[in-house]
Amino acid sequence: MNESRNYSSVVMFVLLGLTDDKELQLILFPIFLGIYLVTIFWNLSLILLIRMDSHLHTPMYFFLSFLSFIDICYSSSTSPRMLSDFFKDERTISFIACATQYFVGCWMALSECCLLAAMAYDRYVAIGNPLQYTTIMAPGLCQKMVAGALGSGFLNSLLQTIPCFNLYYCKSNVIQHFFCNLPQIIALSCSSPFITQIILFLEALFIGFGSLVFILLSYGFITASILKISSIKGSAKAFNTCASHLTVVSLFYGTALSSVHPNKQDKALSVFYAIIIPMLNPLIYSLRNKEIKEALRRLMKRMWHLPQ
């Protein structure tokens, strides 16, 4: 009991960052700054385009706009701090700031798990039950699904953050990472992290693995529905509506599963899932999407007062 009250004996953490090589830092800074600016620009542009074009007021794009919102928040929880640390000799972060950074990043990651599952269900209904699609995927249900994704992410992130940052920290305060990452933080604790690790395991099981199983089941039903379509053109069109979502799911869960056991490549994986993926998601959905391209053309015509 005394340990939990004295956890504030460590009031600051030190982030080691990506590298101590000054020359490499000068190369990496403009690269990561460019990635962050592209992430904000593309995701924000996609949100505004979906809001402004009535043709995109469908469940799929409603979910996509919130995926972009999550990606902006997720990237912003780590990138600005990482970029500022490139020019600092002492990369310290306060105990509260570290807890806040982890909480926001975890909230967004868990919410994305749930949102990707909701998007898989949307694709299943669109392909498996097209005649009742608008009835089933009514605006009220879509709003509840998004609220549920964000709400469950918030609560489960809180359940992770509170036990972790209530551990007793008295060892080294150096975090072997460029952001507050839980495995490295727990390793600094002097008290037993058993309860925290049990909570992490259960949440990974129910939120992470549970949402993945739901997505796989949805695509199992989607595949069965596509196989029933006699027209090759119709089958290709049905599969094409799922291609972007499948790519995003593969990237998200592929890197998440690869980083389960921290190793020497952990920083590289963290860069990919915390910084690169939020930039790639809107590009994946935009580059091969005819509806988004058409919406962009309509917007440009309105801006330049061209005939429709």
Side-chain angles (χ1 to χ4, degrees):
M1 294 299 290
N2 190 43
E3 286 183 344
S4 65
R5 286 195 298 269
N6 293 332
Y7 71 86
S8 59
S9 57
V10 170
V11 295
M12 301 287 287
F13 287 112
V14 177
L15 297 168
L16 285 189
L18 283 173
T19 178
D20 290 324
D21 189 325
K22 297 294 184 183
E23 291 183 2
L24 186 56
Q25 287 176 5
L26 291 174
I27 297 171
L28 291 178
F29 177 78
I31 293 173
F32 285 118
L33 177 61
I35 289 172
Y36 180 61
L37 293 176
V38 169
T39 299
I40 299 298
F41 175 77
W42 273 108
N43 281 293
L44 193 57
S45 297
L46 195 55
I47 292 170
L48 293 174
L49 185 64
I50 291 169
R51 290 288 184 266
M52 292 170 66
D53 195 295
S54 59
H55 295 85
L56 299 181
H57 292 176
T58 64
M60 183 176 79
Y61 294 108
F62 176 76
F63 291 131
L64 181 55
S65 66
F66 277 95
L67 179 64
S68 288
F69 168 76
I70 286 172
D71 283 336
I72 289 173
C73 296
Y74 191 26
S75 180
S76 296
S77 70
T78 55
S79 291
R81 177 82 202 193
M82 181 195 68
L83 289 168
S84 68
D85 282 347
F86 275 116
F87 301 103
K88 293 178 181 177
D89 292 326
E90 191 176 347
R91 300 163 183 155
T92 57
I93 183 170
S94 70
F95 196 88
I96 297 298
C98 189
T100 302
Q101 185 188 60
Y102 177 76
F103 170 75
V104 173
C106 182
W107 177 13
M108 294 301 113
L110 293 173
S111 296
E112 187 160 339
C113 287
C114 299
L115 189 63
L116 289 173
M119 294 172 80
Y121 177 74
D122 170 68
R123 291 300 83 206
Y124 160 66
V125 176
I127 295 170
N129 206 346
L131 296 178
Q132 294 184 307
Y133 176 68
T134 53
T135 303
I136 296 172
M137 298 303 296
L141 176 63
C142 295
Q143 291 165 7
K144 288 176 183 176
M145 291 172 82
V146 168
L150 292 171
S152 61
F154 179 88
L155 291 174
N156 283 281
S157 179
L158 208 61
L159 284 173
Q160 285 189 28
T161 306
I162 291 174
C164 172
F165 287 90
N166 270 289
L167 293 173
Y168 176 48
Y169 292 97
C170 63
K171 297 181 183 177
S172 167
N173 65 339
V174 177
I175 299 174
Q176 306 281 335
H177 222 293
F178 62 91
F179 67 95
C180 292
N181 196 31
L182 204 58
Q184 284 79 15
I185 295 171
I186 290 177
L188 303 177
S189 172
C190 295
S191 53
S192 172
F194 179 73
I195 299 299
T196 303
Q197 289 171 334
I198 290 295
I199 292 171
L200 288 175
F201 173 76
L202 292 175
E203 290 195 1
L205 184 66
F206 289 109
I207 302 294
F209 185 70
S211 60
L212 178 60
V213 169
F214 184 87
I215 290 169
L216 293 175
L217 286 173
S218 296
Y219 273 102
F221 289 118
I222 287 170
T223 303
S225 299
I226 290 175
L227 292 174
K228 292 177 183 177
I229 300 174
S230 56
S231 166
I232 296 177
K233 187 177 179 181
S235 299
K237 184 179 179 181
F239 178 77
N240 192 52
T241 64
C242 302
S244 297
H245 182 256
L246 268 174
T247 305
V248 169
V249 168
S250 300
L251 285 172
F252 183 80
Y253 282 99
T255 52
L257 292 173
S258 299
S259 61
V260 169
H261 300 289
N263 50 42
K264 292 181 181 179
Q265 288 76 42
D266 188 46
K267 283 186 182 180
L269 284 169
S270 297
V271 166
F272 194 77
Y273 70 70
I275 297 170
I276 306 295
I277 287 181
M279 178 190 70
L280 292 179
N281 285 349
L283 296 175
I284 291 167
Y285 272 99
S286 303
L287 294 178
R288 295 181 66 253
N289 191 302
K290 292 181 180 178
E291 290 179 319
I292 288 179
K293 289 179 181 178
E294 287 296 324
L296 192 56
R297 281 195 201 97
R298 286 191 292 269
L299 178 62
M300 296 301 290
K301 286 178 179 179
R302 286 202 301 270
M303 289 176 64
W304 292 98
H305 304 291
L306 297 174
Q308 296 291 325

